[in-house]
Amino acid sequence: MSPWLVLGVGIFLLFGCAGCPVEIIPPSLVVRYGESALATCRALVPISEMSWNSTVGVVGMEMGVTELSWTVKELREWTVRSQCVISTEDGYECSKELPIIVYNMPDSLAVTSDPPGAMAEGKPYFLHCHIENIAPVQSLTVRWFKGSAQLIEDLQHQNSKVGPQNITSDLPVVPHLSDNEAHYRCQADLDLGPGGPTKLESVPFSITVYTGCAVEIIPPSLVVRYGESALATCRALAPSNGMGWESIVGGVVKDGGVQEVNWTVKELQEWTVELQCFINPRHDDQCVKGLNVTVYNTPNSLRVTSNRHGPLAEGKNITLICHIENIAPVQKLTVRWFRGDTKILENLSFGTSVGPQNITDSYTFSPNLSDNETQCRCEAELDLGPGSPPKLTSYPFNINVYKGCPIVISPPTLVVKYGESASADCSTFVPHNGIGWNSTLEPVDAVKDINSVHWSVKELREWTVKPLCFISTYDEQCSKALIVLAYTFPDTINVTTAAPGVMMAGNNYTLTCHIQNVAPAQNLTLRWFKGSVLVKEDHGPQDTSVGPRNLTFDLHITPETSDDGAQYRCEAELNFHSAVAKPPKLTSKHAISVAGK
Ligand SMILES: *[C@@H]1O[C@H](CO)[C@@H](O)[C@H](O)[C@H]1NC(C)=O
Ligand SMILES: *[C@@H]1O[C@H](CO)[C@@H](O)[C@H](O)[C@H]1NC(C)=O
Ligand SMILES: *[C@@H]1O[C@H](CO)[C@@H](O)[C@H](O)[C@H]1NC(C)=O
Ligand SMILES: *[C@@H]1O[C@H](CO)[C@@H](O)[C@H](O)[C@H]1NC(C)=O
Ligand SMILES: *[C@@H]1O[C@H](CO)[C@@H](O)[C@H](O)[C@H]1NC(C)=O
Ligand SMILES: *[C@@H]1O[C@H](CO)[C@@H](O)[C@H](O)[C@H]1NC(C)=O
Ligand SMILES: *[C@@H]1O[C@H](CO)[C@@H](O)[C@H](O)[C@H]1NC(C)=O
Ligand SMILES: *[C@@H]1O[C@H](CO)[C@@H](O)[C@H](O)[C@H]1NC(C)=O
Ligand SMILES: *[C@@H]1O[C@H](CO)[C@@H](O)[C@H](O)[C@H]1NC(C)=O
Ligand SMILES: *[C@@H]1O[C@H](CO)[C@@H](O)[C@H](O)[C@H]1NC(C)=O
Ligand SMILES: *[C@@H]1O[C@H](CO)[C@@H](O)[C@H](O)[C@H]1NC(C)=O
Ligand SMILES: *[C@@H]1O[C@H](CO)[C@@H](O)[C@H](O)[C@H]1NC(C)=O
């Protein structure tokens, strides 16, 4: 049997069972419209001729080849048929089809909303995905995503149309307020098998969802100082047939086509402003949205006064008053008190009156000595949210605290010779209702409006004078005593002995020092000297007697011959420990002579 007969039977078998004995590489083509195409046909059995029968790029019959290429430089047909045709040597002819898909992918996808603009909560809208010049639509699946979650797969564009199509895929949306700023995107998938494009995504499309009236007011609340300018912008969130502002001042109406209206006032001189932006949405009923306007005023400064002036006795109450002039709105006022840097008190309730008010806030406390020189202040704050004016702080109010009776006597002690003049001053550092001297001698009635009262006596002729300087402060009456030390002192003192004349050595003698008219005797110090040597010290009687006295002081001696010519003398001194001034000392002039045996 001829091998070719066997082959012919084989070819027949191939035709019958596995088709034309050629291999096309690649077995199918996916080509972008306008780009090049290339495939190669290779015979699997000995053949006589080979060709490509195509709607574009025909390759004529070639003899004596085993493979043949089909090429198109720029494929500009949407329907291309191409088959590789062979003839065997014994005249069998067969062909194999090369499946070719011509596609087009747009550069980008666009998402729009319908109607455009912001979306009202709960109303139906559409999102459209616009896909231009895509082919083949039979392989197109449009997928919608919200965030990363897939919503739907849209296959309804898979019709039989050939060539590029403009496709719009619709996504119905009924937004909730929580969908505000949600990102939607569409994705076009051309499922063309290996070699084809896979997918193209749109840029994310963010939706704005509002509730209520389709306007946005900027700023959402307005804080304006009385008399200053104000501006608010109302922006339509949906197509408008007209919009505007309703107000007792600065109202404005704009026709359709306008999407933004400003409310402006140069000098706002109303304390209550009711402001509403209205809109006639093209697809809805008229609606309004209000804007809260807070009109405020603050004083230039705060003042602190007190219910009393000057230094304060420890433990007594003082009330400080913070004066806040022409402040508004008092509903939002907070007043705080500070002692040093420490916040002590905070008050919030100042009524509900509209417009500027004069507010006073008080703070009562009883400082102690450690609060001396403390600075107190008050602070006013209007809490109006964003745009609030800065806090205001008063100048510091100084607290001075003292302890005891607030008077100073100068000098505090007087040492006065009986019959001579005496004077002292009494002064105070606090405000008072009267200051004076209470005294058996020359009292001074209480005087107001001066800080110092003078007490004086021309001739002091009393032994027990105790002038009291008294003061009536706002808190109490108190006094301090002036210590007056009246004294008298003799001009001379002398020394006597019982046996005048020359003394005998070895005998006992008594020397007597005489001091007449001395007072106060209690303060007298008497010293005996032999030559310059102190031999005895005595003191006046420590009794309670008052007034001048005659005093004698004895010194017992037993002279020796060596004492001949010795000088004995006594010296008297009045001592006032508390006093600066001292009366003079006195020394006796008499000398005693001692005779030898
Ligand atoms: C080429 O293909 C067309 C369409 O399939 C067909 O009508 C024609 O006979 C084929 N020609 C050859 C030589 O096979
Ligand atoms: C698709 O839309 C684009 C732009 O509007 C247009 O130029 C093109 O002709 C349209 N194509 C088809 C197939 O309608
Ligand atoms: C509203 O005021 C703003 C800020 O001054 C300005 O930018 C905007 O152009 C104004 N809008 C209109 C519609 O006048
Ligand atoms: C306006 O003020 C009223 C009363 O204080 C308040 O209830 C309302 O929420 C405010 N509106 C806005 C938009 O701030
Ligand atoms: C002093 O102030 C305290 C506290 O503020 C108060 O309890 C007290 O009654 C006041 N005393 C006088 C005398 O006003
Ligand atoms: C507040 O006090 C000032 C100064 O005493 C006065 O001019 C003003 O009228 C007062 N305002 C009110 C609201 O009473
Ligand atoms: C209180 O402060 C004043 C000065 O402001 C000072 O002169 C006075 O000595 C102080 N008093 C006491 C008790 O510290
Ligand atoms: C002043 O003296 C009178 C009588 O001597 C006495 O009643 C009064 O209480 C004294 N006043 C003071 C402040 O000591
Ligand atoms: C001294 O004492 C004598 C005797 O008592 C007396 O007579 C005389 O006057 C005194 N002299 C003086 C200066 O006091
Ligand atoms: C002198 O006095 C002393 C004691 O006072 C005594 O002991 C002595 O005897 C006396 N002398 C004469 C001479 O009296
Ligand atoms: C001196 O006089 C003052 C005032 O009278 C008194 O307080 C003091 O104790 C006296 N001194 C003596 C040593 O007696
Ligand atoms: C003290 O002595 C003198 C002279 O002897 C006399 O005049 C006077 O009264 C005496 N004074 C007293 C307080 O005894």
Side-chain angles (χ1 to χ4, degrees):
M1 224 188 338
S2 143
W4 285 114
L5 183 66
V6 175
L7 188 67
V9 173
I11 287 167
F12 172 78
L13 289 173
L14 283 168
F15 278 25
C17 301
C20 198
V22 293
E23 181 191 24
I24 299 177
I25 301 164
S28 67
L29 277 182
V30 175
V31 186
R32 187 174 188 134
Y33 183 82
E35 293 190 347
S36 65
L38 163 67
T40 301
C41 187
R42 184 181 299 154
L44 299 175
V45 297
I47 57 166
S48 60
E49 298 169 347
M50 189 181 241
S51 67
W52 281 92
N53 183 7
S54 302
T55 52
V56 57
V58 172
V59 183
M61 203 61 93
E62 297 270 341
M63 295 168 66
V65 294
T66 57
E67 56 174 61
L68 191 62
S69 285
W70 173 76
T71 59
V72 179
K73 240 192 180 161
E74 291 181 358
L75 188 54
R76 293 198 184 277
E77 298 283 338
W78 290 103
T79 318
V80 182
R81 286 204 59 197
S82 189
Q83 41 186 213
C84 177
V85 184
I86 56 165
S87 296
T88 59
E89 285 177 337
D90 50 354
Y92 286 103
E93 197 180 285
C94 69
S95 64
K96 187 168 189 177
E97 184 88 23
L98 168 64
I100 302 173
I101 298 169
V102 182
Y103 74 90
N104 192 45
M105 200 55 154
D107 294 331
S108 63
L109 308 186
V111 177
T112 59
S113 77
D114 180 19
M119 299 180 177
E121 182 182 36
K123 296 236 164 119
Y125 290 85
F126 278 106
L127 292 181
H128 299 306
C129 181
H130 302 276
I131 310 171
E132 259 186 28
N133 292 321
I134 191 154
V137 292
Q138 293 76 21
S139 304
L140 174 65
T141 304
V142 182
R143 292 186 170 85
W144 283 95
F145 294 86
K146 179 183 175 187
S148 57
Q150 184 175 323
L151 299 175
I152 59 164
E153 251 175 38
D154 184 0
L155 302 171
Q156 52 185 307
H157 310 290
Q158 294 188 346
N159 56 35
S160 57
K161 284 184 185 155
V162 171
Q165 307 291 319
N166 285 348
I167 297 296
T168 301
S169 173
D170 300 332
L171 177 71
V173 172
V174 180
H176 188 262
L177 198 58
S178 63
D179 295 327
N180 188 35
E181 300 194 340
H183 291 285
Y184 287 85
R185 66 191 160 87
C186 63
Q187 175 179 314
D189 289 337
L190 272 184
D191 189 9
L192 303 175
T198 50
K199 59 183 180 183
L200 183 64
E201 280 183 16
S202 70
V203 295
F205 181 81
S206 168
I207 65 167
T208 302
V209 185
Y210 64 87
T211 181
C213 195
V215 291
E216 180 189 17
I217 296 179
I218 302 160
S221 70
L222 199 54
V223 173
V224 189
R225 191 187 187 108
Y226 185 84
E228 294 194 346
S229 66
L231 164 70
T233 299
C234 185
R235 204 166 281 163
L237 296 173
S240 139
N241 280 338
M243 59 189 299
W245 285 97
E246 261 173 34
S247 168
I248 48 166
V249 51
V252 54
V253 179
K254 287 282 160 81
D255 293 338
V258 167
Q259 291 294 109
E260 184 183 287
V261 180
N262 280 350
W263 176 78
T264 53
V265 176
K266 263 212 175 119
E267 289 182 2
L268 185 57
Q269 293 190 327
E270 298 286 339
W271 289 103
T272 312
V273 181
E274 272 160 24
L275 193 54
Q276 283 188 330
C277 175
F278 67 88
I279 187 169
N280 291 309
R282 198 163 293 161
H283 310 287
D284 213 336
D285 296 334
Q286 188 184 70
C287 62
V288 298
K289 187 168 183 178
L291 169 62
N292 283 350
V293 182
T294 307
V295 185
Y296 73 88
N297 193 48
T298 55
N300 295 329
S301 63
L302 305 189
R303 224 161 25 93
V304 174
T305 60
S306 85
N307 63 335
R308 41 182 305 158
H309 306 285
L312 183 71
E314 182 179 41
K316 301 294 176 181
N317 278 0
I318 183 170
T319 299
L320 301 182
I321 302 152
C322 186
H323 300 265
I324 310 169
E325 259 184 30
N326 292 321
I327 192 147
V330 292
Q331 295 83 344
K332 304 285 180 161
L333 175 64
T334 304
V335 177
R336 298 186 189 90
W337 284 96
F338 290 84
R339 249 156 87 182
D341 291 327
T342 312
K343 187 177 89 182
I344 300 296
L345 197 63
E346 186 170 285
N347 287 331
L348 286 162
S349 298
F350 297 100
T352 55
S353 308
V354 173
Q357 306 293 320
N358 286 345
I359 296 292
T360 56
D361 188 44
S362 64
Y363 164 46
T364 298
F365 72 115
S366 51
N368 55 35
L369 209 53
S370 63
D371 293 316
N372 189 30
E373 292 195 77
T374 296
Q375 297 197 325
C376 294
R377 62 197 165 86
C378 65
E379 179 185 274
E381 182 175 23
L382 285 176
D383 184 11
L384 309 177
S388 290
K391 295 179 208 167
L392 279 175
T393 299
S394 71
Y395 290 111
F397 186 95
N398 246 330
I399 305 278
N400 279 308
V401 187
Y402 65 84
K403 199 175 181 165
C405 196
I407 49 184
V408 176
I409 295 176
S410 173
T413 306
L414 281 182
V415 175
V416 190
K417 188 160 185 181
Y418 187 82
E420 294 191 348
S421 68
S423 69
D425 281 313
C426 180
S427 58
T428 185
F429 48 88
V430 300
H432 58 88
N433 283 326
I435 184 169
W437 285 96
N438 206 359
S439 169
T440 49
L441 281 179
E442 305 293 341
V444 180
D445 287 342
V447 218
K448 294 184 181 182
D449 305 326
I450 60 171
N451 288 335
S452 182
V453 276
H454 191 65
W455 175 82
S456 77
V457 178
K458 260 200 180 138
E459 291 180 2
L460 182 72
R461 291 197 186 281
E462 267 190 35
W463 289 106
T464 48
V465 190
K466 204 176 179 189
L468 285 179
C469 177
F470 62 87
I471 188 167
S472 296
T473 67
Y474 295 114
D475 298 312
E476 63 194 346
Q477 174 150 348
C478 64
S479 61
K480 273 188 186 170
L482 167 67
I483 297 167
V484 181
L485 301 175
Y487 74 90
T488 185
F489 208 56
D491 294 331
T492 56
I493 57 176
N494 67 16
V495 177
T496 58
T497 54
V502 174
M503 291 183 183
M504 298 301 292
N507 283 0
N508 285 343
Y509 297 92
T510 298
L511 303 185
T512 305
C513 185
H514 302 262
I515 306 173
Q516 286 184 358
N517 282 320
V518 67
Q522 296 82 354
N523 282 69
L524 185 71
T525 302
L526 194 284
R527 296 185 189 88
W528 286 101
F529 290 90
K530 179 184 178 188
S532 60
V533 178
L534 176 68
V535 292
K536 193 182 181 193
E537 184 170 294
D538 269 327
H539 294 281
Q542 299 299 305
D543 54 21
T544 55
S545 72
V546 168
R549 302 181 54 180
N550 291 343
L551 299 177
T552 58
F553 296 89
D554 290 344
L555 177 70
H556 302 288
I557 59 169
T558 308
E560 294 172 15
T561 42
S562 59
D563 291 329
D564 187 31
Q567 299 262 321
Y568 281 92
R569 60 191 170 89
C570 63
E571 183 188 274
E573 186 183 12
L574 278 178
N575 263 319
F576 302 111
H577 293 309
S578 53
V580 179
K582 276 188 183 177
K585 289 181 190 175
L586 266 187
T587 304
S588 65
K589 296 219 170 89
H590 288 246
I592 300 298
S593 296
V594 178
K597 264 190 179 160

